[in-house]
Amino acid sequence: MASMGDYRKKIDEIDKKIVEQLEERMRTVEEIARFKQENELPVYDAMREREKLDAITNMVSDDMAGYSRILYNTILEVSKDHQRKITQQDTDCVKAIKTALEETPKVFPARAAVACQGVTGAYSQEACEKLFAMPQIFFLKNFNGVFAAVESGLCKYGILPLENSTAGSVNQIYDLMMKHNFYIVKSVRLKINHCLMAKKGVKKEDIKEIVSHEQAIMQCDDYLKNFPHAKITVLENTAQAAKFVAESERNDVAALASGNCIDLYNLECLADHVQDNLNNYTRFICISKKLEIYPGANRTSLMLVTKHKPGSLYNVLARFNALGINLVKLESRPIPERDFEYMFYFDIMSEVYSEEFIRLMNQLEDLTEECTYLGSYTEI
């Protein structure tokens, strides 16, 4: 009767043969790569890959077909990666990244014309002043206005909230990033402290309406249950809400906004730290029309649409794992007008100068149906 040791010895012998055959296969791949290079052929041949996977599936028994297909998907991806290392065939995205690394100034600017959504006292202003030492701030009414200001050249940069630790991602920002083909050049995590404020002399029991930005309202959902009879009104910005209260003739309206707005708009704080989660942060991004990658960039944002077939997302995640790249954000959302299909937001941590990062970016185009590169940057 065979023992566990016997089985393990047999597995070791099989693995030795597999490894030897894999190395032989990869050496043949090198020869193919040189042939493609000499004859100016692309690394990726979709038809050949489909034929190969179908042939492999037909070689094995039914219960092994799925496993074989997963294994050879990985082998084919590794083969393409190895070919690219030899042929040095970069995708258009990687070429743009390398150009940006060469052309971007070595120091992030201290002064610039910057578009922010809202009015004086907005959280976006606070984020802007953390990113730039001497910004010339232009306040715009809404997110579209910020993008329009950068698109037109009125401002070189724009500051926008991308996600909150409580309320999640701001999908509108991602949509506008894709629409305008803009890039993230830097980001900052800002601790958010919402205060309930009103005109001096107003009591909590007097309040019949509370105004703020929709994200702030979401972040203070539990606290707002203390005002069951108050109307909740969404405005464009938290600072705009404070300004609205200050300029209103009413004494029954309050705002959720930053504590900076209390003195700025001569209001009184009725309650501090009213957000549901006291560990409440918002990530603000600095956007640019031109791709800029500053020294030290180690975070990259992507939007991917995987191929609509089993194992597509797995194949993408396997690449991150194989290259040792840390995935710090993965979020999905439905694709408008496409039933039960999703796009994914990815944030990865990897030095933009590393070989592994370049290899990943060269592979993503083949692995996905759509790949949108949103920029590489540092976060403070």
Side-chain angles (χ1 to χ4, degrees):
M1 182 176 177
S3 66
M4 179 60 74
D6 294 330
Y7 290 128
R8 285 177 174 170
K9 183 178 179 182
K10 187 174 182 180
I11 287 290
D12 290 343
E13 291 171 353
I14 294 170
D15 284 342
K16 185 175 184 296
K17 292 177 183 177
I18 290 174
V19 170
E20 290 172 350
Q21 291 295 306
L22 178 61
E23 181 169 357
E24 184 179 352
R25 189 185 197 283
M26 295 301 285
R27 297 305 176 198
T28 305
V29 163
E30 292 176 359
E31 296 173 13
I32 292 172
R34 295 186 184 96
F35 179 88
K36 288 180 176 179
Q37 187 175 37
E38 291 169 4
N39 292 275
E40 299 183 351
L41 296 173
V43 165
Y44 179 49
D45 185 337
M47 183 175 294
R48 166 63 178 169
E49 190 164 304
R50 283 195 300 271
E51 291 173 349
K52 187 64 180 174
L53 286 172
D54 289 341
I56 292 296
T57 303
N58 292 328
M59 287 180 192
V60 298
S61 54
D62 290 345
D63 61 333
M64 292 292 115
Y67 298 135
S68 298
R69 204 169 183 92
I70 291 171
L71 173 62
Y72 270 84
N73 261 315
T74 303
I75 289 174
L76 290 171
E77 294 305 327
V78 170
S79 296
K80 285 182 286 188
D81 178 46
H82 195 49
Q83 286 185 58
R84 283 202 176 92
K85 285 170 62 179
I86 294 168
T87 62
Q88 296 183 328
Q89 287 186 17
D90 287 334
T91 62
D92 289 342
C93 178
V94 169
K95 290 176 184 175
I97 289 170
K98 290 182 176 180
T99 299
L101 286 171
E102 292 175 1
E103 296 181 352
T104 302
K106 300 307 178 187
V107 179
F108 192 75
R111 302 178 63 181
V114 186
C116 291
Q117 188 259 339
V119 296
T120 304
Y123 286 112
S124 59
Q125 178 185 357
E126 187 177 344
C128 180
E129 290 171 347
K130 283 184 176 293
L131 290 169
F132 295 91
M134 296 173 285
Q136 180 186 6
I137 299 177
F138 291 78
F139 287 105
L140 284 304
K141 184 178 180 181
N142 51 40
F143 296 153
N144 280 294
V146 173
F147 278 88
V150 178
E151 185 78 67
S152 67
L154 174 66
C155 297
K156 186 173 182 181
Y157 302 105
I159 303 295
L160 295 158
L162 186 66
E163 65 175 324
N164 176 263
S165 56
T166 301
S169 295
V170 185
N171 288 330
Q172 185 185 358
I173 302 300
Y174 280 104
D175 292 340
L176 288 167
M177 289 289 290
M178 291 186 70
K179 177 182 177 181
H180 291 270
N181 294 315
F182 281 5
Y183 300 96
I184 303 171
V185 298
K186 207 159 191 180
S187 70
V188 58
R189 289 176 79 248
L190 192 67
K191 182 136 191 221
I192 302 298
N193 172 32
H194 296 305
C195 301
L196 183 71
M197 58 193 71
K199 287 184 176 179
K200 293 181 178 178
V202 173
K203 307 294 184 186
K204 287 184 182 179
E205 53 267 28
D206 299 331
I207 297 172
K208 295 181 180 177
E209 184 177 13
I210 298 174
V211 297
S212 192
H213 185 266
E214 61 181 345
Q215 284 274 325
I217 292 168
M218 291 169 63
Q219 293 161 27
C220 301
D221 183 61
D222 286 343
Y223 179 76
L224 291 175
K225 291 174 183 175
N226 295 313
F227 302 88
H229 303 296
K231 178 183 177 184
I232 308 298
T233 302
V234 174
L235 294 183
E236 295 284 355
N237 185 266
T238 53
Q240 183 68 52
K243 184 178 180 182
F244 172 85
V245 170
E247 294 176 350
S248 172
E249 297 180 358
R250 296 165 53 188
N251 289 314
D252 62 354
V253 63
L256 291 170
S258 164
N260 295 334
C261 294
I262 296 170
D263 292 336
L264 190 61
Y265 293 105
N266 195 30
L267 298 174
E268 185 174 349
C269 180
L270 301 182
D272 195 6
H273 294 88
V274 299
Q275 62 272 15
D276 300 340
N277 186 348
L278 295 181
N279 192 32
N280 186 28
Y281 288 86
T282 293
R283 285 184 64 216
F284 285 84
I285 55 172
C286 178
I287 61 168
S288 171
K289 188 174 182 179
K290 181 183 178 183
L291 176 58
E292 297 178 343
I293 306 176
Y294 288 90
N298 62 356
R299 186 173 187 133
T300 295
S301 292
L302 305 161
M303 288 185 66
L304 306 178
V305 177
T306 59
K307 296 171 183 177
H308 194 49
K309 62 180 183 179
S312 294
L313 180 58
Y314 167 83
N315 287 335
V316 174
L317 296 177
R319 291 297 90 221
F320 295 140
N321 180 58
L323 293 168
I325 291 177
N326 187 25
L327 182 64
V328 293
K329 176 178 179 177
L330 171 56
E331 187 175 330
S332 66
R333 62 174 289 207
I335 302 174
E337 301 177 357
R338 289 166 67 172
D339 293 339
F340 303 106
E341 293 190 43
Y342 296 84
M343 65 175 62
F344 298 91
Y345 306 147
F346 284 85
D347 276 6
I348 60 175
M349 296 298 291
S350 178
E351 295 292 339
V352 74
Y353 313 97
S354 71
E355 179 186 345
E356 290 77 14
F357 172 76
I358 295 300
R359 286 168 62 187
L360 174 69
M361 295 308 299
N362 269 325
Q363 291 178 32
L364 285 178
E365 222 172 76
D366 292 343
L367 286 170
T368 59
E369 186 176 301
E370 297 175 30
C371 176
T372 303
Y373 170 69
L374 298 176
S376 299
Y377 52 96
T378 54
E379 181 167 291
I380 62 172

